[in-house]
Amino acid sequence: MSIRSSIRRLSTITESMLEDLIKALEKKNLKVYDDVMRRDYDVNRLSLFILRRCHEVLEGDVDEGIRKNEIPDILLFARTIERIADHTKNIAANLKLGSYKKSEVKWLIKTGYLIRDLFKESTNAFFKKDMKRANE
């Protein structure tokens, strides 16, 4: 599995975690919260794989067509996505435990969609190598 495909997979899993968290809020489905929390494990494993693979590229053990000066950006991006997944897992765990007013749930859903859209925009910008847009 290549670094680029692993980063895309990492992004896809995290995006689906965000989307499912919103759906769980909308439908009050506690099982979905558990599924979101379980997927964080997959994100963590994939993140570690990317880290190891980047070290192999730097050491010259593998050639993935990635320049060595791209590695810091890739590692930072993977770490950021992994942290977003961690936060998504923690939010799911907290929402599963609590009861919230209808107005709070409505706000959480609206904010969740904004966060998901920002995540999509920034990851798409990263994959298109538009760093200015990604950083915005």
Side-chain angles (χ1 to χ4, degrees):
M1 196 166 177
S2 73
I3 291 173
R4 282 189 171 84
S5 65
S6 298
I7 290 274
R8 284 200 181 274
R9 183 76 182 131
L10 189 72
S11 175
T12 301
I13 294 170
T14 302
E15 184 179 325
S16 72
M17 288 172 69
L18 288 166
E19 288 184 9
D20 288 349
L21 179 62
I22 297 165
K23 289 176 188 172
L25 265 169
E26 290 174 330
K27 296 179 181 180
K28 299 177 185 165
N29 188 336
L30 298 179
K31 289 182 181 180
V32 176
Y33 291 134
D34 290 330
D35 185 50
V36 167
M37 290 185 282
R38 270 192 300 276
R39 277 184 272 165
D40 181 59
Y41 175 75
D42 295 332
V43 168
N44 292 340
R45 284 184 354 172
L46 205 46
S47 181
L48 286 173
F49 171 78
I50 292 166
L51 176 65
R52 282 193 308 268
R53 196 68 173 178
C54 285
H55 280 270
E56 291 171 352
V57 168
L58 288 173
E59 291 171 1
D61 295 339
V62 294
D63 180 18
E64 289 212 18
I66 294 175
R67 295 185 320 268
K68 289 183 179 184
N69 66 344
E70 292 179 278
I71 296 293
D73 290 337
I74 291 168
L75 290 174
L76 181 61
F77 186 68
R79 176 69 183 127
T80 301
I81 292 175
E82 193 268 332
R83 288 189 67 220
I84 291 168
D86 286 343
H87 288 300
T88 305
K89 176 194 76 172
N90 292 336
I91 291 167
N94 287 322
L95 289 173
K96 183 179 177 187
L97 296 175
S99 61
Y100 299 91
K101 297 177 190 170
K102 193 173 186 175
S103 62
E104 292 171 328
V105 171
K106 191 175 181 179
W107 180 86
L108 286 168
I109 291 168
K110 180 181 174 184
T111 303
Y113 280 118
L114 288 171
I115 291 167
R116 187 218 43 208
D117 292 345
L118 283 171
F119 181 80
K120 281 182 173 182
E121 278 185 49
S122 61
T123 54
N124 286 337
F126 179 83
F127 293 131
K128 291 178 182 176
K129 298 186 181 203
D130 184 349
M131 290 304 145
K132 183 179 179 213
R133 196 170 129 224
N135 287 323
E136 287 173 2

